[in-house]
Structures are given as C-alpha cells and as structure tokens.
Amino acid sequence: MYLIPYHVRIVRIHLRCWCQQAKPFDVITLSETNLNNSVPDGSITLPGFTLERKDATTPTSHGIATFISNTLVGRRRLDLEVDHLDCLWTEIILPKTRPILVGSVYRSPNSDSEHLNDIMNNISNALDCNYETLILGDFNLDLLPIRKKGLTKDMHAFMRQNELSQMISEPTRVTPHSQTLLDHIYVNRKHYVTQSGVIPTGLSDHRLIHTIRRANKPKSIPRRITTRSFKRFHQESFVDDISKIPLSCIEGPDDIDLMWHTWKTLFNGVSDGHAPLKTVTVKGEHTPWVTDEFISMTWERDHLKKVAEKHGSLDTWTRYKKCRNKLNNLAAQLKCEYFQTKIEDTKIDSSKLWSTLKEAMHSSKHRNIPNIIDDGAIINDKSKIANAFNNFFANIGSELASKVHTGPHTPSKYDTLCNFQFQTVGIDYIEKLLNCLSLGKATGLDNISARLLRLSASHIAPSLTYIINFSLSHGVFPLDWKTAKVSPVFKDGSRGQVDNYRPISVLPVVSKILERVVHDQLYHYLTDNKLLNKWQSGFIPGYSTTTALSYLVDDILSNMDGACGKKKYTASGEGSSEIVNPRWHKLMTGVKPGITDGN
C-alpha cells in the first residue's frame, strides 16, 4: 500500500497535474487545501480515487483532504475528528488484516503550544483504538537539527512516549536560503513499512514524501466488455444475408419463448458471421486537454527544481518559479479552452451537452468493486459479491414499501364508457420504430445491437410484428426480454457497503419496441378519454418539472400579491440515500401574502 502526503496551497490547480502521476499511489493526503463549501467535490476529484475532505471552518484551520484508491475499502472516522483541528482520520480495511488507521494532519506555523497539545491529544485518542496507525502531514516542525527546541522538542517527546517512529530523514522543504524537514510520517508498527523517502517535484516548494506499507492489497480488476467487431463489416452483404434467412418459421409454435429463441438464433447466426463478438479491455480515464507542450513544460519545471536544489543559485530558483507559474496558467488555459470548445460544439444536443458537463465536473461513476463488507466480514469472491448485490437490489423495493405509511386515501374515480384493450399493430409501424432506435443504446444479454436492427429493419419487421402481436393478444412477455444485465454504480459513502450503490439495468434492445407499442396505446387511451390530471407534468410531451415549478412559483407570487386564486399542486421529493425512495406527497393550498426573510 503506497501512501503519500503532500502540502499544496491551491489544490484545484495542482490536481490538474496529478491525473497522470497519481496512478501508483493508494492513499494521497493534501494539507492546507484552503477549500470551502463553495467548491464542489467534482472540481477536485482524481480519477480512480474516492475523496474525503475536511474544509477550513474556523480562522485557525486551513483544510485537509484524503484520496483513497478505489481498489481499497475505506471509511471516514468522524468520531476521532475535532472541529477546529486539521486532522482527518480514515480507516482502511484490507483482506486478512486488522483495520489500518490513516491520519492526515496539518499544523499552521503560527499556531501556539495549546494548538499543538490539541493535535497530540487527538493523536492519542486515535492510538487508543489499538490499530496499526500511520500519521502523515505537514507539522511545520523542523526535525533536522539534532538538538530539538520548543514545540519541536515537545512533539519529539510525545512521539517517543507513544512509541511512534518518524520515517522521513531528508529535507522536505528546500528554498534558496534554507533546508528543513517539516513534513513527517509517523507509524506505530515500523516492521510493516518496507520503504519511505522523499520525491523531488516542481509542484510546490515542499517535496513529496511517501511510505510503502506491506499489504495484500487486492489488484485492480480491469474492466472488460463483450462487443461486436465491425472492423470488416459490410452493410450490403449483411442485409442481403438477413433477407435470406427464413424468419417466418417462428409462426408455428404457440410458445412465445420458443418463438423468440428461434428468431434470436437465426439473427445472431448471421450477425456473428459479419460482426463477431469479441472481449475488449476498457481503458481508464484520460485528460484530453493535456498537450505535448504541457508535458514538455512539466519535465522542464521538474528539471529546474532539481538544478535549483542542487546549486542553490537565485537565478535558477527564479527560472524555476517562473516556469512553475507559467505551467499552472497553461493548465488552467488548456482545460478552459477544451471545455469551452466542446460545450460550443454540443450546445444544440442536450444529451451530449450534459455528458460534457459531467466530464468537466468529473462526475463519472467508477465501476471497480474490489470487495464488500457484509456483517463485518470482507467478501472478495466475485460470485459472493454478485449474490450480495443481487439480494440487496431484489429486496430493497419491498423493504422500503413496507415502511411507507399511506394513511387514509380514497382514489379518484373516473366515469368512462371506453374499456381499454391492446390492439394489434402493423408491419409499417414496427419498421418505423426500428428505424428510430438510438445507435447509442446499450446491448442486452442477447447481444443484438440497435445498429444491426436498424440496418435490417425492413426484413425483420414482419417477424417481429408477429411476436409483438402475439404478446399483446395473449398477454405474455418473452422471458429473455425481461432479463437484464445489472451493474451496480457507486453513489457516495463507503464503497464497501452495498446500500451505497444503485443498479443500472440493461434490457434487450428489441424489448424497447414492445415497450413503445404499449406506451403509445396506453397514452392515447388516457389522453383521448381525458383521464390525466390537468396539472400532470411528468412524462407528458411538452411538459416537465420545469413547467410544474413555473406553475408553482406563479401561484406563490400571485398569492403574495393578494390574489385569491388557490390552485393545488402535488410536490414530490426524492432522497439519495436509497436505491428506491418512497415519495411523500403534500398539497399546497396557497401561500399567505407576506415578506420573506431571504432564506
């Protein structure tokens, strides 16, 4: 397990340079981050890491952050933290090992002895857990002099009293006029540490310090997907072969599952010949805005830092600082230009625009799940992890429903002479739906992609129409069409808890055709018979939560102006702590006129 603490004043700028350098590390701690709640987590994330941060909340605090690799399971120890101290504690859980406590500490150089005593008392409380403990950070106490004085002497005595070993012996801050050892790493079980040292870098006047703790760390599992190879695909040849297969043979049996199995086998037989399946490894995230000029300047900055530390001339130090500042400005400029251009290119397509905004905010969800904690035990077997998620996702709906108190409720009654019944559809209608399939739609377990369905729409529409009409008239649904690939996607909190994940289900693309047929018939029945509430905004063409909010705000303002109109709205809210959330509904009957307090 590779741990590295670092002192950095402007975390949002320097993290841009860390995206490529952070890969070998498992735990990264940053001190004096100077962040506050106006800076979202998405703007300071590192790909492949989970962020824990403690922002500056008092005049004496400066902020601290810890990044934990997604290959590890860690949880924040808020019970050990004190509000006015820059101390952040994380518990790392490794297979076949007791928990390891990692503390990230920052002490301001201007703080007094009372503040240092508070830090030492906080460390003592952490040591009382009787865990293996690693304490990393910038203490602003120079340990290079042999004779320790003042606060340095007090800290040195405290560490010896608690049998803590300090692992760094080289200067960690080098300037043209001084060399000091201000960044420390303390451990209480030295025999587990295999290596410690200092890494020169040009990111700051502080050098990187690191330590390697011997551990049976789970390896990062590469993400592999099965997809079709279109490298040698010829569209005309594929369509010609599809037109020759006897898809009409499915009309014999009365078993819809047998119909679909026959159809799928015939279609995939041709598809596999023209676009065979292959397994590929998905590459990790990258920083597309990084250019050759940026990389070259990074090397130049690090080289100038080494030369300045070696020779110590003021001219070399000045050149290094100019290069460092120029590189920081270049990083901000390149990233800004990249996203400005991309937003400008995608602003007319809302889906692509949101993807760009998510990329800018680093809001992508990592799917790497190394292990899961169940009843206090670590599960790292793939099949057991899958069963744990399957049990949770399958039962969460009924468990949440049992907690919902519905209360007395009388459903609305609608008088209508029209009875609903599904109607069979024509071949032209199904062919139109096939041609409207999105090429970006994910492929289900049947390995039939939307691209192949669209290309062969005119030839497969008759047979698919027969299956869909059979389903509508007999009230049956193919089993394959309701069997999904379920992927757990991390939300927030601890990665070792299954309730911190939400499921993403991928159904076969063909099932979407039947879903659209059912939706269209139900929607036309509701609208033709005027069964929808006039204030219904969700899932209605031309309406959305925006229109519902506009109506609500307009009514509030009207009531504040003294209007007497009092409409009723239904407001629903969803939390983010559960996979499926019960919706609590309240009726607003107008707002009394008055003056708001601005909150």
Side-chain angles (χ1 to χ4, degrees):
M1 188 170 63
Y2 204 156
L3 300 96
I4 180 166
Y6 193 50
H7 174 281
V8 56
R9 288 181 180 272
I10 311 176
V11 65
R12 280 171 287 176
I13 292 179
H14 289 292
L15 278 177
R16 298 187 183 101
C17 310
W18 273 61
C19 293
Q20 302 297 331
Q21 302 177 18
K23 293 180 181 178
F25 309 130
D26 298 303
V27 179
I28 300 172
T29 66
L30 301 180
S31 57
E32 200 175 3
T33 57
N34 292 315
L35 297 175
N36 53 45
N37 55 13
S38 66
V39 181
D41 288 350
S43 64
I44 55 172
T45 56
L46 282 177
F49 287 83
T50 299
L51 169 65
E52 296 288 352
R53 55 189 276 192
K54 185 178 181 183
D55 294 345
T57 56
T58 65
T60 58
S61 61
H62 298 270
I64 205 159
T66 298
F67 293 89
I68 304 172
S69 171
N70 292 341
T71 61
L72 300 176
V73 174
R75 68 184 183 97
R76 180 90 169 265
R77 289 294 303 269
L78 293 172
D79 56 310
L80 298 176
E81 297 180 9
V82 181
D83 290 342
H84 71 282
L85 297 179
D86 288 324
C87 299
L88 190 154
W89 297 93
T90 307
E91 186 177 288
I92 306 296
I93 302 174
L94 297 174
K96 302 179 182 179
T97 305
R98 291 197 64 192
I100 300 173
L101 203 58
V102 177
S104 179
V105 179
Y106 174 72
R107 173 191 165 271
S108 172
N110 300 322
S111 59
D112 54 15
S113 59
E114 182 179 354
H115 189 266
L116 179 61
N117 288 332
D118 290 342
I119 292 178
M120 292 189 293
N121 290 333
N122 186 242
I123 294 175
S124 296
N125 293 335
L127 293 173
D128 290 340
C129 297
N130 199 28
Y131 289 162
E132 178 186 350
T133 306
L134 298 92
I135 305 163
L136 314 91
D138 179 7
F139 287 82
N140 279 300
L141 298 171
D142 187 11
L143 298 182
L144 277 184
I146 297 177
R147 290 181 62 87
K148 308 295 187 293
K149 299 179 182 180
L151 298 181
T152 304
K153 183 178 180 180
D154 296 340
M155 185 68 181
H156 187 66
F158 170 79
M159 296 304 173
R160 293 186 62 181
Q161 179 183 350
N162 289 275
E163 298 181 350
L164 294 173
S165 301
Q166 208 286 111
M167 308 305 297
I168 305 300
S169 58
E170 303 175 51
T172 61
R173 184 172 186 267
V174 179
T175 69
H177 309 288
S178 65
Q179 294 187 1
T180 50
L181 201 167
L182 306 179
D183 305 278
H184 312 161
I185 297 179
Y186 296 97
V187 298
N188 63 346
R189 297 177 189 177
K190 186 178 179 180
H191 56 282
Y192 284 128
V193 177
T194 60
Q195 181 181 339
S196 296
V198 175
I199 303 174
T201 179
L203 292 175
S204 170
D205 54 357
H206 284 251
R207 294 176 172 181
L208 293 177
I209 59 174
H210 74 280
T211 187
I212 300 178
R213 193 270 184 195
R214 175 166 50 87
N216 297 321
K217 188 192 72 170
K219 293 183 179 179
S220 177
I221 303 173
R223 183 175 168 229
R224 293 186 173 89
I225 60 173
T226 300
T227 184
R228 290 195 178 275
S229 173
F230 289 89
K231 188 175 182 179
R232 296 180 175 85
F233 181 78
H234 297 284
Q235 178 176 328
E236 294 79 7
S237 177
F238 168 74
V239 174
D240 182 62
D241 287 348
I242 286 290
S243 65
K244 296 176 181 178
I245 58 178
L247 292 175
S248 58
C249 66
I250 65 170
E251 300 179 9
D254 289 334
D255 185 349
I256 195 169
D257 289 316
L258 181 58
M259 289 182 198
W260 169 246
H261 177 74
T262 303
W263 193 98
K264 179 179 67 174
T265 302
L266 292 172
F267 188 86
N268 277 337
V270 176
S271 301
D272 293 343
H274 291 269
L277 294 171
K278 67 174 183 178
T279 301
V280 297
T281 301
V282 179
K283 295 183 179 180
E285 297 185 34
H286 66 291
T287 50
W289 51 270
V290 172
T291 62
D292 293 338
E293 179 189 3
F294 179 84
I295 296 174
S296 177
M297 192 175 293
T298 302
W299 294 340
E300 181 184 357
R301 178 205 59 193
D302 294 341
H303 173 71
L304 289 174
K305 180 70 180 295
K306 292 179 182 179
V307 173
E309 291 178 351
K310 183 177 181 180
H311 299 288
S313 66
L314 290 176
D315 178 64
T316 310
W317 277 104
T318 302
R319 289 170 55 199
Y320 153 68
K321 291 179 180 179
K322 287 183 178 180
C323 182
R324 181 194 61 189
N325 296 337
K326 185 178 179 181
L327 180 65
N328 290 338
N329 294 332
L330 178 63
Q333 177 186 345
L334 290 174
K335 191 171 185 180
C336 182
E337 291 177 352
Y338 169 77
F339 284 110
Q340 281 183 345
T341 303
K342 198 166 183 182
I343 289 173
E344 186 67 25
D345 294 340
T346 59
K347 65 181 181 180
I348 59 175
D349 189 329
S350 59
S351 61
K352 292 182 179 179
L353 177 60
W354 276 114
S355 298
T356 301
L357 294 176
K358 289 180 180 180
E359 180 187 357
M361 295 184 293
H362 298 285
S363 60
S364 60
K365 304 295 183 181
H366 303 284
R367 300 189 180 186
N368 186 21
I369 306 172
N371 41 46
I372 290 297
I373 303 174
D374 187 21
D375 294 330
I378 298 178
I379 302 175
N380 49 24
D381 181 73
K382 291 182 180 180
S383 59
K384 292 182 179 179
I385 291 176
N387 289 332
F389 277 110
N390 187 48
N391 292 333
F392 175 70
F393 292 150
N395 298 320
I396 185 61
S398 57
E399 290 179 5
L400 289 175
S402 64
K403 299 177 183 178
V404 176
H405 176 68
T406 57
H409 177 68
T410 303
S412 302
K413 295 182 179 180
Y414 297 93
D415 296 327
T416 177
L417 300 177
C418 302
N419 294 322
F420 176 81
Q421 186 175 2
F422 284 118
Q423 304 296 323
T424 57
V425 294
I427 296 175
D428 294 340
Y429 175 62
I430 297 300
E431 183 178 350
K432 178 182 177 181
L433 294 180
L434 287 170
N435 285 319
C436 292
L437 286 173
S438 171
L439 295 179
K441 196 172 290 294
T443 304
L445 291 171
D446 57 1
N447 294 317
I448 298 177
S449 68
R451 178 179 177 179
L452 297 180
L453 291 173
R454 283 185 59 171
L455 290 175
S456 56
S458 60
H459 300 288
I460 63 176
S463 53
L464 284 180
T465 302
Y466 181 86
I467 295 176
I468 290 172
N469 285 334
F470 187 93
S471 174
L472 295 174
S473 58
H474 291 76
V476 291
F477 199 84
L479 180 62
D480 279 3
W481 290 10
K482 51 186 176 182
T483 304
K485 291 191 295 186
V486 180
S487 300
V489 177
F490 176 69
K491 298 188 298 180
D492 54 18
S494 171
R495 288 184 174 271
Q497 303 295 332
V498 293
D499 53 356
N500 289 330
Y501 292 79
R502 61 184 177 90
I504 296 295
S505 301
V506 179
L507 289 164
V509 179
V510 181
S511 68
K512 304 298 180 182
I513 303 297
L514 180 54
E515 288 182 15
R516 174 51 59 180
V517 171
V518 171
H519 170 271
D520 288 348
Q521 294 192 20
L522 282 172
Y523 178 72
H524 288 312
Y525 170 78
L526 294 174
T527 53
D528 293 344
N529 292 281
K530 299 180 180 179
L531 299 178
L532 292 177
N533 190 287
K534 65 178 180 178
W535 301 115
Q536 173 77 27
S537 292
F539 310 104
I540 301 296
Y543 293 85
S544 66
T545 53
T546 303
T547 54
L549 183 61
S550 298
Y551 291 142
L552 178 61
V553 172
D554 180 67
D555 194 51
I556 291 175
L557 295 176
S558 298
N559 279 271
M560 292 177 66
D561 291 337
C564 61
K566 295 183 178 181
K567 302 183 181 73
K568 292 185 178 182
Y569 298 97
T570 301
S572 66
E574 293 184 68
S576 59
S577 60
E578 300 288 356
I579 301 299
V580 181
N581 299 283
R583 295 172 179 257
W584 308 98
H585 298 274
K586 295 182 180 180
L587 289 179
M588 285 191 63
T589 58
V591 179
K592 293 181 179 180
I595 300 175
T596 63
D597 59 2
N599 294 323

